[in-house]
Amino acid sequence: MLTREFAVIDVTVPHLTGRLAVVTGASDGVGRALAGRLALAGAEVLLAVRNPDKGAAAVARIRAAVPGAVVSVGVLDLASLASVADFAKRLNQAGRAVDLLVNNAGVMAPATRHTTADGHELQLGTNHLGHFALTAQILPLLRAGRARVTTLTSSAARSGRINWDDLQSERKYAPVGAYGQSKLANLLFALELDRRSTAGEWGISSNAAHPGTTLTNLYASGPNLGRARPSPYEAIMTRLSRLGVLVHGVDAGMLPVLYAATGQGARGGGFYGPDGFGQFTGRPTELSVYKAARSEVAASRLWGVSERLTGVTFDVV
């Protein structure tokens, strides 16, 4: 008999007409595929992207696939807290309640240490701190929409650890280690956000999802930063995908995220991903939270550190 962790979930998307969904990093990969499915279900989708040209191309692709889709682009660079604040300001000025927020954008394993516009290690700053600041600054809109917030993590969070003594990898930088830390931070944040919403009656639901090993440009864009020669990551992943071994495509990888963001059975504090060997590939299922992310003490500590590093707090009135 299947346990809950390995019980396959049937992803049925409810009608989302009249709902506003904000998806970060939606110009390609999982984010773009997810935005298309949300638009197909009737949602109005805002693609929050760093590159407006790529965002416009994504909008064109979604509209071609989903006639009548209501999709638009908003410029958001998660590696700049000023850009995050500007994006949030525009949303707040528009005053439209946000029903779904998917914190999807990310960078993975640059070969050398890079920093954000604010001096934070690039992966921690982009993957976690940028999304932390965004969620905090549009909290009134999320509360108005009684929103579901889904934050993407990775199976890399399973072996990740928060290096409290060198959070910014200033003394020692390891590409994969820094990535694992940032994705563990994503998972800790998603779970802590749900706890705080429940305790404070904020009215929002927060969960986490990971897409397994999904072939996207994540394996080229990040690993090629700081390298004179192209990284082998993309070629390896492409070959494995063609062989059907441990790697799946975007449409499959998007499904756990789609369920977490829209599924009627997806719950606050839940964690969703693929059901296959090692969680590399497979059908969506609810997963057990990784041991490293179960500490509420660590989650609360990270929350406080994130407030200090971003200068942003979750103000609830």
Side-chain angles (χ1 to χ4, degrees), residues 215-250:
L215 184 60
T216 70
N217 74 349
L218 197 68
Y219 292 97
S221 58
N224 282 328
L225 285 174
R227 289 180 62 95
R229 299 171 61 184
S231 164
Y233 272 108
E234 185 179 28
I236 292 170
M237 291 300 108
T238 300
R239 182 175 177 83
L240 289 174
S241 179
R242 288 172 179 165
L243 294 172
V245 178
L246 304 181
V247 180
H248 57 192
V250 168

Side-chain angles (χ1 to χ4, degrees), residues 78-147:
L78 288 157
S80 165
L81 293 173
S83 176
V84 174
D86 184 61
F87 178 83
K89 181 180 178 180
R90 294 195 303 272
L91 274 183
N92 283 314
Q93 286 176 338
R96 175 81 179 276
V98 175
D99 300 278
L100 299 172
L101 170 63
V102 182
N103 291 323
N104 161 74
V107 61
M108 185 187 77
T112 58
R113 184 179 183 272
H114 288 66
T115 58
T116 68
D118 307 283
H120 303 305
E121 188 277 316
L122 184 63
Q123 296 177 90
L124 180 71
T126 302
N127 300 351
H128 169 59
L129 295 176
H131 283 124
F132 180 92
L134 171 63
T135 307
Q137 289 177 99
I138 65 169
L139 184 62
L141 304 181
L142 297 171
R143 294 191 69 193
R146 300 191 66 81

Side-chain angles (χ1 to χ4, degrees), residues 16-41:
L16 299 175
T17 303
R19 304 287 187 90
L20 174 62
V22 178
V23 183
T24 71
S27 59
D28 53 30
V30 170
R32 185 176 68 200
L34 178 69
R37 286 293 295 270
L38 296 176
L40 182 63

Side-chain angles (χ1 to χ4, degrees), residues 52-79:
D53 292 333
K54 288 184 66 177
V59 165
R61 287 189 59 167
I62 293 171
R63 287 176 177 165
V66 185
V70 182
V71 287
S72 59
V73 172
V75 177
L76 170 66
D77 182 358
L78 288 157

